[in-house]
Amino acid sequence: MKDRYLGFVNSPFGTSIARTLGLPKPEVLRRHRADQPEFGGMATIGAGPSPVLFDAILGVLSAVGMTGVAHDSAPGWLPVAARHGAMSGRFEPRSRDAAPADRVHALIFDATGIAESGELHAAYAFFHDAMRSVARSGRIVVFGRAPSCSANPRTATAQRALEGLVRSLGKEARNGITANLVQIDDGADIDATLRFFLSPRSAYVSGQVVHIAAAGDVIPADWSRALAGKRALVTGAARGIGASIAAVLAQHGAIVTGLDTEAARDALDQTMLSIEDLSPSNGAHAALLADIAMPEAAAEIAMALAAAGGIDIVVHNAGITRDKTIARMSGELWDSVIDVNLSAQERIDDALLAQNVLRAGGRIIAVSSISGIAGNRGQTNYATSKAGVIGRVLSMAPVLKASDIAINAVAPGFIETQMTARMPFGVREAGRRLNSMGQGGLPVDVAETVAWLANPGSAGITGNVLRVCGQSLLGA
Amino acid sequence: MKDRYLGFVNSPFGTSIARTLGLPKPEVLRRHRADQPEFGGMATIGAGPSPVLFDAILGVLSAVGMTGVAHDSAPGWLPVAARHGAMSGRFEPRSRDAAPADRVHALIFDATGIAESGELHAAYAFFHDAMRSVARSGRIVVFGRAPSCSANPRTATAQRALEGLVRSLGKEARNGITANLVQIDDGADIDATLRFFLSPRSAYVSGQVVHIAAAGDVIPADWSRALAGKRALVTGAARGIGASIAAVLAQHGAIVTGLDTEAARDALDQTMLSIEDLSPSNGAHAALLADIAMPEAAAEIAMALAAAGGIDIVVHNAGITRDKTIARMSGELWDSVIDVNLSAQERIDDALLAQNVLRAGGRIIAVSSISGIAGNRGQTNYATSKAGVIGRVLSMAPVLKASDIAINAVAPGFIETQMTARMPFGVREAGRRLNSMGQGGLPVDVAETVAWLANPGSAGITGNVLRVCGQSLLGA
C-alpha cells in the first residue's frame, strides 16, 4: 500500500495545495541508493566540558568524506582537526537548502564530559545556535555516558537528562531529521554506530538511546561489505520485513540462509533467487524450510546450519499476529502467537548454543515491536510475546557475553507491509502520521538497523532495544 | 477548566446522543470520598503454577472487607481461604453492573511462579474468562517477579512478557478499569501496594510496573491515617498539584510544611489554612517561604526543618515551564527551568542529607513528567529537567538504601490544572482523550500516588518511576 498522501504533498501541485491549506508535509526521507553517495556535507561539532570523542568522531568524518566545523562550545575541535590534517572551520548558520557540499548534514554533540545539570547549558547553546541549519533528512547525534556507569548521582542525573533533550529535539526537528543518543563506555568503538546514524540507512531510527560497551570490535576492511564472510540465518524470510533483512544482509556481504515454512516455499525461493541476482554468492545463499512451531524444528535447523559450517548472525524475524480482544481470543490463538514469536526463538537459540553452531563473535538480533513496549488493544498475545522478546534480550545479554556473542532487539513501529495495507484506513493513517517523520517506515529501514547491529564493529552493542519507528508517539 | 465533554456524555441526554452517534464515552472515574466505603465487592483470583502470594493477598482482602473467589487457574485459593476462615467460592462470570456486593471489582493474578513462556497460558485463560466480568472503575493487578532477579533467562523472559500483557489489558479494559503489574522480591510486603491499587485512590494509575523489594516495612496501625506522626515537606505547595499533595498527605495524617515563593505567599497561606481546617494539626502544618532557585535556599530550608525536629517525607513538586522551541529559547529560559526543576532538588536533598534532617525510614518523592520520558516539542528545557529527575531517582536509590531512605518519582501525564486550562483547545482535547481513561487526571490522582509511596508500608519501593497518566498513549 503506497502512502499516497506522502506522494501527493511532495508533488509540485500537492506542495502548493499543502501550503495553501496548511497541511502537514512529511519529508520524502533520503534512503540509501547504490547510485548516490552515502555521505556528504558538513557536520557541526559541539561539546560540553572535557569531551573525549573528538579524535574518534574526526576519524569517522574523514573516512566518509565529511567536514567537521566547530561550534563555539567545541573550541578544542580545531586543534584536533589540524593535528589530523583535516579540513575544518568555525560553524556559521546556513540555510538548510544550501548547496549539498555546504549543507549542515549533521549536528554532533559530545556530552561525555557533562558531569552535572548546570553543564547541560552547553548542549542548549549548541542546539539553539545550530538547529535551524540542519539540512532535510539531516542527523542529530549526541554522545553521552550510561547513567548507570556514572561516577556519582549528579553525573548520572545530567547524563539521563540528555534523553529528554534528544527526544525533544527529535520532535522539534521535522524535515526527516533524526535525533539519537549514544551512550559510550570507556574504550567503546563508535565507528559503526556513527556511520549508521550519519547514513541514510538510519532514515527511520529516531528518539533512540544506544549503549556501546568496550568490546573486541573488528573494523571491517570494506565498510560497504562489512558482513563479507559472515553467515546469517533469517527466519520468516519469504516476505515483508524478513525478505528485506535477508536482502540487505546479503548486500552487506553476508551469505544468507532464508528460513520459512513449507507453505511459503515459492515466495521464499523467489526471494532467495532475487537476492542471488543482486548479491551473488555462487549459490551459497540458501533457502531452508522449517516450521519453527514444531518442537523438532530447532534441532533440525541447528543440524542444517552446522553442516554448512556454522553461523555468525541469527535474525529472529518470524512472527505472526492473531488479533482478538482477550475475551474473544481462543486458547489456540494465544498459544500459537506466544510459541512462534517467543518460545521458538528460545528453542532455536538453545539448540544453536548447545551445539556451538553460533560462532564466537556472533550476533543474535530479535524482532520485537512497539506493541511489546506499549501494549496494544486486541493484541494481548502479540504484545506479550514481543515484550518477552525484550526480556530475552535483556536477560541473555550478560549470559552470552562470556561467549563473545551480542544480542539485541529491533522494535518496529508502523512499517509499510502487506499487514499494514490490510488495516482499516483510520488506523493506518494514524500509524503513519503519529511519529516525528509523519509517515510509515519501510522494511528496508528495519533491515538496515539489523545490518548495523550485525556489523563486526558493533560488538560493543548488546542488551539494547532499538525502535525503528520514526520516533512514534506511542510508548510506555 | 472543566472537562465538559466528560460531563455531557455522562448526562442522561448526552448518554443517548453519544450512543446514537457512536461517540466515545469516557467513564466518570470513581475516586476516594470520605463518605463512601473505600473497598467492596469481590476479587477474582487467578494464578500460574506455584503462586506464593495467596496468604498475603487474602490478608489484604480480608482486612478491607472484600471476598476473593477462585478462578479455575487458582484451585489452591480455596484451601488457603478455608484455613484463614475467609469467605470464598468459585468464580462465575457476572454482569459488570451487578449489585455492588456481587460485582467483580478486581482481577488479581499471581504470576510469581511463571517460569517460562508456555506457562503464560494460565494468564491468558484467567483474563479470557474473567475480563468481561470486571465492574466499571475496576482493577486488574498482576503480581510477578523482577526479570533482572529471575533465576534464568527463560523465567526473566516470561516475567518481562507480562508487561506486554498488562499494558494490553489496560488498553482493552476501558470503563475506567486500571491494569498494573507489581514485581516482588522474596519477602516483599504487598499490603500498601495492593490496597492502593484496589482503592479508588489509584483511579488514574494504569499500565504501570512497580517493583517491591524486601524492606523493613512498618504496617500502619490505622491505614486511613498511615502517615500519622510523619512530617512532610512539599515544594510548590501554593497551587495545583502541589496544593493537592499537601492536602492529601495531611488527610493521611502527616504534618505538612508547604513551601513556595514570596510571590505565592497569599495562595500558600490559603492552601495551608484550608488544610488545617480539613486536617487539623493544632497549627503544626506550616508555610515556608523560599525561592529554591536561590543558592542559599537549600541551607535555609534544611535549617528550618531541622529546627522543627527533622522531616520524614520530601516531595519535590515545585516546577516551572518556559516553553519555546530550542531555536527561539533564550539561555535564561533554559537555565531557569533546569535549575528550578532539577538542580534545586539536588541542592535541597544534599543539604537535608548532609545534616541528617531527613530521618531514617524517610522518603523522597520527585515529580517528573511524561515529557521527561517521551520528550516534547517546545519543551527541550522542561523534558531535559524531567528526564534528569528520573536519572536522580535511579542513581540515588542505591546510595540512599544504606540510610534506609527510599526515593521514587511520579510522572504525571495530562492532569487538569490551570496550566492545561490555558492550552489551545486541540492540544487540550488530545491530551484528555489519548489515554485509556479517555480523560485528564486530577491533581488528587498524583497526590494519592505520592501518599502511597510515602506510606510506611511502601519502604520496599525505591528507584521506581510511576506514571500517573491514565495509561497515556505517549511514551518512548
Side-chain angles (χ1 to χ4, degrees):
Chain A
M1 168 72 52
K2 209 163 138 51
D3 185 342
R4 291 200 184 127
Y5 180 78
L6 178 66
F8 173 71
V9 294
N10 283 287
S11 68
F13 177 62
T15 298
S16 80
I17 294 280
R19 196 182 306 123
T20 307
L21 298 180
L23 296 177
K25 182 164 174 277
E27 187 76 12
V28 175
L29 302 183
R30 198 164 88 83
R31 290 194 171 86
H32 178 65
R33 289 178 51 168
D35 60 352
Q36 287 184 355
E38 186 164 356
F39 302 99
M42 295 193 305
T44 301
I45 311 295
S50 312
V52 301
L53 289 177
F54 282 177
D55 283 284
I57 294 167
L58 190 82
V60 172
L61 293 182
S62 298
V64 305
M66 289 177 69
T67 304
V69 294
H71 176 258
D72 287 347
S73 61
W77 177 263
L78 296 173
V80 170
R83 178 151 39 83
H84 288 261
M87 289 250 300
S88 187
R90 290 185 175 280
F91 165 72
E92 286 163 35
R94 312 178 178 250
S95 157
R96 62 174 36 132
D97 296 313
D102 236 24
R103 242 171 241 172
V104 175
H105 173 64
L107 305 183
I108 303 176
F109 187 82
D110 185 341
T112 52
I114 287 184
E116 51 92 13
S117 49
E119 293 177 358
L120 293 163
H121 185 94
Y124 154 75
F126 175 67
F127 289 107
H128 171 71
D129 294 346
M131 196 69 175
R132 285 177 173 154
S133 296
V134 192
R136 295 163 192 286
S137 287
R139 297 289 185 260
I140 294 169
V141 184
V142 175
F143 286 99
R145 297 287 193 173
S148 60
C149 303
S150 296
N152 58 63
R154 287 216 174 185
T155 300
T157 296
Q159 288 292 331
R160 174 72 186 223
L162 291 167
E163 266 195 40
L165 173 63
V166 170
R167 294 208 161 109
S168 299
L169 292 174
K171 292 185 174 183
E172 287 189 4
R174 301 190 172 171
N175 298 303
I177 297 163
T178 67
N180 292 286
L181 174 60
V182 181
Q183 299 175 332
I184 58 148
D185 288 359
D186 283 329
D189 202 312
I190 65 166
D191 287 24
T193 298
L194 183 52
R195 279 173 179 262
F196 176 67
F197 281 129
L198 290 177
S199 148
R201 299 181 194 271
S202 61
Y204 206 62
V205 180
S206 189
Q208 301 308 297
V209 181
V210 191
H211 174 250
I212 316 182
D217 289 283
V218 178
I219 299 307
D222 176 357
W223 281 95
S224 69
R225 290 183 58 81
L227 303 180
K230 302 290 181 188
R231 288 183 168 268
L233 171 72
V234 180
T235 68
R239 297 187 191 88
I241 292 174
S244 184
I245 293 171
V248 167
L249 293 182
Q251 281 161 26
H252 284 268
I255 295 165
V256 177
T257 298
L259 181 148
D260 219 307
T261 57
E262 176 66 39
R265 178 197 281 264
D266 290 350
L268 180 62
D269 284 345
Q270 281 210 324
T271 297
M272 298 314 295
L273 275 176
S274 73
I275 292 174
E276 182 68 32
D277 277 353
L278 291 168
S279 307
S281 69
N282 295 318
H285 298 316
L288 180 58
L289 293 174
D291 180 353
I292 61 173
M294 295 292 114
E296 65 278 12
E300 290 170 10
I301 293 165
M303 206 182 307
L305 296 176
I311 196 96
D312 302 287
I313 300 157
V314 176
V315 184
H316 291 295
N317 164 74
I320 57 175
T321 56
R322 297 288 184 270
D323 297 357
K324 291 270 178 203
T325 59
I326 199 162
R328 293 170 179 275
M329 186 183 290
S330 70
E332 197 277 323
L333 293 192
W334 174 273
D335 290 340
S336 61
V337 168
I338 299 290
D339 190 71
V340 170
N341 295 6
L342 180 57
S343 312
Q345 293 190 12
E346 301 180 308
R347 291 193 298 264
I348 292 169
D349 285 348
D350 281 0
L352 296 179
L353 293 166
Q355 296 168 49
N356 283 314
V357 181
L358 182 57
R359 294 193 273 240
R363 305 292 160 79
I364 300 173
I365 299 146
V367 178
S368 178
S369 162
I370 59 172
S371 287
I373 295 167
N376 199 8
R377 181 175 165 77
Q379 291 200 314
T380 47
N381 49 0
Y382 186 75
T384 301
S385 72
K386 294 300 190 179
V389 167
I390 293 172
R392 283 199 77 226
V393 163
L394 301 182
S395 59
M396 290 291 287
V399 175
L400 291 174
K401 239 174 208 164
S403 322
D404 199 16
I405 293 168
I407 181 169
N408 296 285
V410 292
F414 185 94
I415 303 293
E416 305 275 356
T417 60
Q418 288 178 2
M419 195 173 82
T420 58
R422 284 192 301 264
M423 286 178 175
F425 175 80
V427 176
R428 188 172 60 238
E429 276 303 298
R432 279 177 175 161
R433 306 306 161 211
L434 292 179
N435 62 70
S436 294
M437 301 299 142
Q439 60 196 286
L442 301 182
V444 70
D445 298 324
V446 181
E448 291 285 7
T449 306
V450 169
W452 157 52
L453 294 169
N455 191 300
S458 300
I461 306 176
T462 191
N464 279 248
V465 179
L466 268 295
R467 291 169 47 143
V468 184
C469 66
Q471 194 177 32
S472 164
L473 292 183
L474 304 185
Chain B
M1 168 72 51
K2 209 163 138 44
D3 184 343
R4 291 200 184 127
Y5 180 78
L6 178 66
F8 172 71
V9 294
N10 283 286
S11 68
F13 177 62
T15 298
S16 79
I17 294 278
R19 197 182 306 123
T20 307
L21 298 181
L23 297 177
K25 183 163 174 278
E27 186 76 12
V28 176
L29 301 183
R30 198 165 88 82
R31 289 194 171 83
H32 178 66
R33 289 179 49 169
D35 61 352
Q36 287 184 355
E38 187 166 355
F39 302 100
M42 295 194 304
T44 300
I45 312 295
S50 312
V52 300
L53 289 176
F54 282 176
D55 282 284
I57 294 167
L58 189 81
V60 172
L61 293 181
S62 297
V64 304
M66 289 177 69
T67 304
V69 293
H71 176 260
D72 288 346
S73 61
W77 178 264
L78 296 171
V80 171
R83 178 149 41 82
H84 288 262
M87 289 250 300
S88 187
R90 290 185 175 280
F91 165 71
E92 285 162 35
R94 318 182 172 248
S95 157
R96 61 174 36 134
D97 296 314
D102 236 24
R103 244 172 240 172
V104 175
H105 173 64
L107 304 184
I108 302 176
F109 187 83
D110 185 340
T112 52
I114 287 184
E116 50 92 11
S117 49
E119 294 177 357
L120 293 163
H121 184 93
Y124 154 75
F126 175 68
F127 289 107
H128 171 72
D129 294 347
M131 196 69 176
R132 285 177 171 153
S133 296
V134 192
R136 293 163 193 286
S137 287
R139 296 290 185 262
I140 293 168
V141 184
V142 174
F143 286 99
R145 297 286 193 174
S148 60
C149 303
S150 296
N152 58 63
R154 288 218 173 182
T155 299
T157 296
Q159 289 292 332
R160 173 74 186 222
L162 291 168
E163 265 195 40
L165 173 64
V166 169
R167 294 207 161 110
S168 299
L169 292 174
K171 292 186 174 181
E172 288 190 4
R174 301 192 171 168
N175 299 302
I177 297 163
T178 67
N180 293 285
L181 174 60
V182 181
Q183 299 175 333
I184 60 148
D185 288 358
D186 283 329
D189 202 311
I190 66 166
D191 287 25
T193 298
L194 183 53
R195 280 172 179 264
F196 176 67
F197 280 129
L198 291 176
S199 148
R201 299 181 195 271
S202 60
Y204 206 62
V205 180
S206 189
Q208 300 309 296
V209 181
V210 191
H211 174 248
I212 316 181
D217 290 284
V218 178
I219 299 308
D222 176 356
W223 280 94
S224 69
R225 289 182 59 78
L227 303 180
K230 302 289 181 188
R231 288 181 169 271
L233 170 72
V234 180
T235 68
R239 298 188 190 87
I241 291 173
S244 185
I245 293 170
V248 167
L249 293 182
Q251 282 162 25
H252 285 269
I255 296 165
V256 176
T257 299
L259 182 147
D260 219 307
T261 57
E262 175 66 40
R265 178 197 281 264
D266 290 349
L268 180 63
D269 284 345
Q270 280 210 327
T271 296
M272 297 314 295
L273 276 175
S274 73
I275 291 173
E276 183 68 31
D277 279 352
L278 291 168
S279 308
S281 70
N282 294 318
H285 298 315
L288 180 58
L289 293 174
D291 180 354
I292 60 173
M294 296 290 115
E296 64 277 12
E300 290 170 10
I301 294 166
M303 207 182 306
L305 296 176
I311 197 95
D312 302 287
I313 299 157
V314 176
V315 184
H316 292 294
N317 164 75
I320 58 174
T321 55
R322 296 289 182 270
D323 297 356
K324 290 270 179 204
T325 58
I326 199 161
R328 292 169 180 276
M329 187 183 289
S330 71
E332 197 278 321
L333 293 191
W334 173 274
D335 289 340
S336 61
V337 168
I338 298 290
D339 190 71
V340 170
N341 295 5
L342 179 56
S343 313
Q345 293 190 12
E346 301 181 307
R347 291 193 296 266
I348 292 169
D349 286 348
D350 281 359
L352 296 179
L353 293 166
Q355 297 169 47
N356 283 314
V357 181
L358 181 58
R359 294 192 273 240
R363 304 293 160 79
I364 300 172
I365 298 145
V367 178
S368 177
S369 162
I370 58 171
S371 287
I373 295 168
N376 199 8
R377 181 174 164 79
Q379 291 200 315
T380 46
N381 49 1
Y382 186 75
T384 301
S385 73
K386 294 301 190 179
V389 167
I390 293 172
R392 283 199 78 225
V393 163
L394 301 182
S395 60
M396 290 291 286
V399 175
L400 292 174
K401 238 173 208 166
S403 322
D404 199 17
I405 293 168
I407 180 169
N408 296 285
V410 293
F414 186 94
I415 304 293
E416 304 276 356
T417 61
Q418 288 178 4
M419 194 174 83
T420 58
R422 284 193 303 265
M423 285 178 175
F425 175 80
V427 176
R428 189 171 60 239
E429 275 303 298
R432 278 177 174 159
R433 306 305 162 211
L434 293 180
N435 61 71
S436 294
M437 302 297 142
Q439 60 196 286
L442 301 181
V444 70
D445 299 323
V446 180
E448 290 286 8
T449 306
V450 169
W452 157 52
L453 294 168
N455 192 300
S458 300
I461 306 176
T462 191
N464 279 247
V465 179
L466 269 295
R467 291 170 48 143
V468 184
C469 66
Q471 194 177 31
S472 165
L473 291 183
L474 304 186

